[in-house]
mmCIF file of all heavy atoms in Angstrom:
data_model
loop_
_atom_site.group_PDB
_atom_site.id
_atom_site.type_symbol
_atom_site.label_atom_id
_atom_site.label_comp_id
_atom_site.label_asym_id
_atom_site.label_seq_id
_atom_site.Cartn_x
_atom_site.Cartn_y
_atom_site.Cartn_z
ATOM 1 N N TRP A 83 4.348 5.509 4.566
ATOM 2 C CA TRP A 83 5.416 5.811 3.610
ATOM 3 C C TRP A 83 6.654 4.971 3.908
ATOM 4 O O TRP A 83 7.322 4.483 3.007
ATOM 5 C CB TRP A 83 5.735 7.302 3.657
ATOM 6 C CG TRP A 83 6.869 7.720 2.784
ATOM 7 C CD1 TRP A 83 6.980 7.547 1.433
ATOM 8 C CD2 TRP A 83 8.063 8.375 3.207
ATOM 9 N NE1 TRP A 83 8.171 8.067 0.990
ATOM 10 C CE2 TRP A 83 8.850 8.589 2.066
ATOM 11 C CE3 TRP A 83 8.519 8.812 4.434
ATOM 12 C CZ2 TRP A 83 10.080 9.218 2.121
ATOM 13 C CZ3 TRP A 83 9.753 9.442 4.474
ATOM 14 C CH2 TRP A 83 10.512 9.638 3.324
ATOM 15 N N LEU A 84 6.956 4.789 5.189
ATOM 16 C CA LEU A 84 8.142 4.020 5.566
ATOM 17 C C LEU A 84 7.939 2.511 5.483
ATOM 18 O O LEU A 84 8.881 1.770 5.210
ATOM 19 C CB LEU A 84 8.575 4.387 6.989
ATOM 20 C CG LEU A 84 9.136 5.787 7.174
ATOM 21 C CD1 LEU A 84 9.338 6.083 8.650
ATOM 22 C CD2 LEU A 84 10.434 5.959 6.400
ATOM 23 N N LEU A 85 6.712 2.036 5.737
ATOM 24 C CA LEU A 85 6.481 0.594 5.869
ATOM 25 C C LEU A 85 5.862 -0.078 4.648
ATOM 26 O O LEU A 85 5.987 -1.292 4.494
ATOM 27 C CB LEU A 85 5.603 0.329 7.092
ATOM 28 C CG LEU A 85 6.211 0.762 8.435
ATOM 29 C CD1 LEU A 85 5.199 0.603 9.551
ATOM 30 C CD2 LEU A 85 7.474 -0.023 8.717
ATOM 31 N N ILE A 86 5.170 0.677 3.791
ATOM 32 C CA ILE A 86 4.528 0.080 2.613
ATOM 33 C C ILE A 86 5.504 0.152 1.445
ATOM 34 O O ILE A 86 5.952 1.242 1.074
ATOM 35 C CB ILE A 86 3.215 0.812 2.265
ATOM 36 C CG1 ILE A 86 2.229 0.731 3.432
ATOM 37 C CG2 ILE A 86 2.596 0.222 0.999
ATOM 38 C CD1 ILE A 86 0.991 1.593 3.245
ATOM 39 N N PRO A 87 5.847 -0.984 0.862
ATOM 40 C CA PRO A 87 6.787 -0.955 -0.262
ATOM 41 C C PRO A 87 6.165 -0.343 -1.513
ATOM 42 O O PRO A 87 4.961 -0.376 -1.710
ATOM 43 C CB PRO A 87 7.135 -2.424 -0.492
ATOM 44 C CG PRO A 87 6.083 -3.198 0.184
ATOM 45 C CD PRO A 87 5.466 -2.339 1.221
ATOM 46 N N GLU A 88 7.011 0.208 -2.356
ATOM 47 C CA GLU A 88 6.587 0.809 -3.612
ATOM 48 C C GLU A 88 6.413 -0.285 -4.665
ATOM 49 O O GLU A 88 7.042 -1.339 -4.574
ATOM 50 C CB GLU A 88 7.651 1.812 -4.059
ATOM 51 C CG GLU A 88 7.237 2.711 -5.177
ATOM 52 C CD GLU A 88 8.279 3.791 -5.429
ATOM 53 O OE1 GLU A 88 9.469 3.467 -5.507
ATOM 54 O OE2 GLU A 88 7.877 4.948 -5.559
ATOM 55 N N ASP A 89 5.551 -0.039 -5.646
ATOM 56 C CA ASP A 89 5.401 -0.985 -6.752
ATOM 57 C C ASP A 89 6.759 -1.271 -7.374
ATOM 58 O O ASP A 89 7.544 -0.362 -7.625
ATOM 59 C CB ASP A 89 4.474 -0.411 -7.834
ATOM 60 C CG ASP A 89 3.009 -0.653 -7.544
ATOM 61 O OD1 ASP A 89 2.700 -1.497 -6.683
ATOM 62 O OD2 ASP A 89 2.167 0.007 -8.184
ATOM 63 N N GLY A 90 7.050 -2.527 -7.601
ATOM 64 C CA GLY A 90 8.299 -2.917 -8.229
ATOM 65 C C GLY A 90 9.459 -3.071 -7.262
ATOM 66 O O GLY A 90 10.546 -3.438 -7.655
ATOM 67 N N SER A 91 9.229 -2.794 -6.001
ATOM 68 C CA SER A 91 10.278 -2.917 -4.993
ATOM 69 C C SER A 91 9.974 -4.108 -4.088
ATOM 70 O O SER A 91 8.821 -4.390 -3.795
ATOM 71 C CB SER A 91 10.365 -1.642 -4.154
ATOM 72 O OG SER A 91 11.319 -1.778 -3.134
ATOM 73 N N SER A 92 11.001 -4.776 -3.649
ATOM 74 C CA SER A 92 10.785 -5.933 -2.783
ATOM 75 C C SER A 92 10.765 -5.543 -1.310
ATOM 76 O O SER A 92 10.299 -6.315 -0.479
ATOM 77 C CB SER A 92 11.871 -6.980 -3.024
ATOM 78 O OG SER A 92 13.133 -6.437 -2.713
ATOM 79 N N GLU A 93 11.276 -4.354 -0.980
ATOM 80 C CA GLU A 93 11.339 -3.922 0.411
ATOM 81 C C GLU A 93 10.784 -2.514 0.564
ATOM 82 O O GLU A 93 10.812 -1.719 -0.373
ATOM 83 C CB GLU A 93 12.778 -3.916 0.926
ATOM 84 C CG GLU A 93 13.360 -5.264 1.218
ATOM 85 C CD GLU A 93 14.692 -5.134 1.916
ATOM 86 O OE1 GLU A 93 15.674 -4.817 1.243
ATOM 87 O OE2 GLU A 93 14.719 -5.342 3.138
ATOM 88 N N SER A 94 10.324 -2.216 1.775
ATOM 89 C CA SER A 94 9.889 -0.860 2.084
ATOM 90 C C SER A 94 11.120 -0.002 2.379
ATOM 91 O O SER A 94 12.244 -0.501 2.462
ATOM 92 C CB SER A 94 8.965 -0.873 3.298
ATOM 93 O OG SER A 94 9.679 -1.288 4.444
ATOM 94 N N ILE A 95 10.895 1.281 2.563
ATOM 95 C CA ILE A 95 12.006 2.178 2.892
ATOM 96 C C ILE A 95 12.611 1.781 4.228
ATOM 97 O O ILE A 95 13.833 1.734 4.380
ATOM 98 C CB ILE A 95 11.521 3.641 2.904
ATOM 99 C CG1 ILE A 95 11.112 4.054 1.493
ATOM 100 C CG2 ILE A 95 12.586 4.569 3.445
ATOM 101 C CD1 ILE A 95 10.447 5.404 1.402
ATOM 102 N N ALA A 96 11.774 1.472 5.209
ATOM 103 C CA ALA A 96 12.285 1.045 6.517
ATOM 104 C C ALA A 96 13.046 -0.272 6.400
ATOM 105 O O ALA A 96 14.051 -0.477 7.075
ATOM 106 C CB ALA A 96 11.135 0.900 7.510
#
Side-chain angles (χ1 to χ4, degrees):
W83 176 58
L84 291 172
L85 298 173
I86 300 172
E88 192 172 47
D89 275 345
S91 177
S92 61
E93 285 189 284
S94 65
I95 294 172

